Amino acid sequence: TFLTRVLFTEATNEAQQGKLESVFKNSEPIREDQIQNAIKFLSHPRVRGSPVIHRRSFLERKGLTKEEIDEAFRRLPDPPPSSQTAVNTQDGQQVVSNVLQPQGQIQAMKPAPAPVVMIPPPSLLSRFRWYHVVLAVGILAASGAGTAVFVKRSLIPRLKSWVRKVMSEEESDPLEKADAKPSLAEEAVAAAKAASAAASDVARVSQEMMKTKSEERKNFEDLMQLLGVQVQEMKSLSNNIRYLERNSNNLPKVYSANQEVYSGLVKTPAERRPYANGSNIDYDSRSARSTSPPAPPADSSQPPHPKSYMDIMSMIQRGEKPSNIREINDMPPNPNQQLPNPRIAPKAKPWVYGQPPQDESSNGPWWQQKNPRSADFGYETTTARSIGIRNETSTTEPAAIQKQRSWVPPQPPPVVMPEAAEAIRRPKPQAKIDQEVVAAASDDQSGVSDELQKVTKFSESGGDGSGRFEITEIQEETEHQHIGQEGN
Amino acid sequence: MPMFKAPFNGYSVKFSPFYESRLAVATAQNFGILGNGRIHVLELSPGGPGVTESIAFDTADAVYDVCWSESHESVLIAAIGDGSVKIYDTALPPPSNPIRSFQEHAREVHSVDYNPTRRDSFLTASWDDTVKLWAMDRPASIRTFKEHAYCVYQAVWNPKHGDVFASASGDCTLRIWDVREPGSTMIIPAHDLEILSCDWNKYDDCVLATSSVDKTIKVWDVRSYRAPLAVLNGHGYAVRKVKFSPHRRNLIASCSYDMTVCLWDYTVEDALVGRYDHHTEFAVGIDMSVVVEGLMASTGWDELVYVWQQGMDPRAS
């Protein structure tokens, strides 16, 4: 019953707020023409190569609603196969995570662009590894064949010349005939030795080749990693350039230390992200950031920055650190320090009453005293007008408002059911789960009556005189049971 | 009108919702490019026009924004350039502070806003493209809202609906969110250039204003968001902050890189109703007191903090 009370309150709250909060949601129907434009945009080959978040951002800035953007993505034709699949599956995951649950995905989102870049190199590497293996085998075979041929071609003539020599020696010296045979045998042994030596040579050479190959592979991997990092940096650089192009049509040397070029100074925070602006700034864990003011529009002059600002920017771009920075430890000295007990009740906001408070001249401290004239800025006219309007439409009583400052309203009622407050604050899917729990509970109740029917049928079929007694017994038992019933 | 000279460049100023005479200032060394930061808590002296510092907290990195808790009168929350969010108890001396430090954002935290209706949570907006929802007593963020394609410069709670907030981003969109929904509920491509700030109308919960690098302020109604209700022209450079008055339905205050603070009434033809040019560098922070009607404060890169009543000259003493 407590659970149902909580859920009832939650449901009514939601129903009430649902009526009000509906203004904060898109209620427009989906516009087909916008979807068609979006599909054309998304199908462009250059757009396909850009991160999904940029594509969505572009469409959002064109005024498309979330539903229209999702529909356009859904309707896209199949992405191109093979080499693009790695990139696209990552993008697909990004789209899904955008739509469904952004909350848990922060860490996943940021590294996602990185794997997009990093995944092709390893796969290329693995491909290269296969290539390497194939190449290695081929080279080995070729070298083996080559040495075999070489052996055949060179060793055998040598053997032959040996034999001839021996034979000629043999002819000259019959005594040596006896040696010829053993010499032949020797030669055969020698040939075998040479062959084995050649084979071991080949083996050694192939081993060395494998070693150098693995070294080369390592170098290659390192190279690919560096390349990957560079590609990543270049991609973000190009993105930054694109953003800057959007922000200001004149795109001067953004990364130059030339102080005359203002828009180079007024850097967007995005440039700070890869920290790859040529001058590699590295200050422990901190890195220089520009001010947050982004580049002003191109059609007007840039806001003149203070001279000392320029000095600091140029100092940092040179790699110097301003000397006035101190090492400060700003971590909590006692992480378990308790929050203080509130001693003052929160004041009601002036707008809670629905109408702006009456304008009253106060005689309090100087910060409460108003200038009755305030004609310097023409504000008086507006004030008079607005006072007039307020007098017509104001419904609150002046007395109540005058007491506003001295009267401290009572504290808002404490949350009686913190679980309800928590449940309301939780995202909607949770609420749906709660409702399912209720539904499941109610299903159980119908299950009880099914059980009863089953049991009665059973006893009817097998029963004799005592069947009726059994039935009543069973009925009583099931009546006493509640939702948390066990099976019979 | 009194002013306070800080050692570092001013970034943000916020009045306390509890104390009439109290405000906090976020500052950063070296214009926030690289260096330390400091939070000042200032008191308006009741005797005569004057502003004095009551306590200050040093940080290793720039402080880009600060906000007061709506539940605990002595608690401040700071948005730091190293991505951390720190909680300070101004009733404790600086060596006992901060009492919490949350390191979750991957990049600079640019704004922090406390929930004025539920009073139990706050939002941070960061250059890591996300907005995070926190409660002071929880060790980690409750939710992360990741949809923007670029830095989020500000996230602001709706003054009437405790679960609704808006975010302004460098991806040129304004997004409306409901913490109970998994994603944003509305996307408004409000400007063609980066949107630096947004704020809700306190008396019309469906109206909000955005300010942008394109030098304009636009006022929107979420019920018909295809076109703005008003476009306010008048600033010479990017408009850094925009704030709806807590006491006047149609009054907007703004500060800009043109070094001025302006007041607007967006329902009239000639919307610019006031202009203050007391700053000598970029004006980047502005606030209007909820407790004292008409009281305003501003700060800028000239390291000055001014507090004055609307209609008065900020520099008069």
Side-chain angles (χ1 to χ4, degrees), chain A residues 180-254:
Chain A
K181 276 186 195 156
S183 71
L184 255 174
E186 279 177 33
E187 278 178 34
V189 166
K193 273 192 200 157
S196 69
S200 65
D201 271 341
V202 166
R204 209 186 343 116
V205 165
S206 63
Q207 256 186 25
E208 282 176 18
M209 281 195 69
M210 287 301 288
K211 230 190 282 171
T212 51
K213 213 165 290 166
S214 61
E215 279 174 23
E216 268 177 43
R217 203 188 304 157
K218 252 184 253 162
N219 290 342
F220 187 79
E221 275 178 33
D222 290 335
L223 238 170
M224 287 306 293
Q225 257 188 9
L226 285 170
L227 267 176
V229 168
Q230 295 240 351
V231 166
Q232 202 182 344
E233 287 187 6
M234 282 173 61
K235 275 198 178 178
S236 41
L237 271 175
S238 65
N239 285 341
N240 296 335
I241 289 172
R242 248 181 267 140
Y243 268 112
L244 279 171
E245 278 174 341
R246 257 181 249 133
N247 288 345
S248 76
N249 292 336
N250 51 323
L251 184 70
K253 314 146 205 100
V254 171

Side-chain angles (χ1 to χ4, degrees), chain A residues 35 38-44 47-48 55 69-79 95:
Chain A
I35 295 178
I39 292 173
K40 277 187 212 139
F41 164 74
L42 292 168
S43 307
H44 194 277
V47 175
R48 280 180 179 282
R55 295 185 228 170
I69 296 173
D70 293 341
E71 183 61 28
F73 271 100
R74 239 177 276 136
R75 289 197 206 170
L76 270 186
D78 290 330
V95 171

Side-chain angles (χ1 to χ4, degrees), chain B residues 98 119 123 127 144 146 168 216 259 261 285 306 310:
Chain B
R119 306 187 201 270
L123 293 168
W127 290 1
T144 301
K146 184 170 172 65
T216 69
M259 307 183 201
V261 170
Y306 287 93
Q310 286 164 27

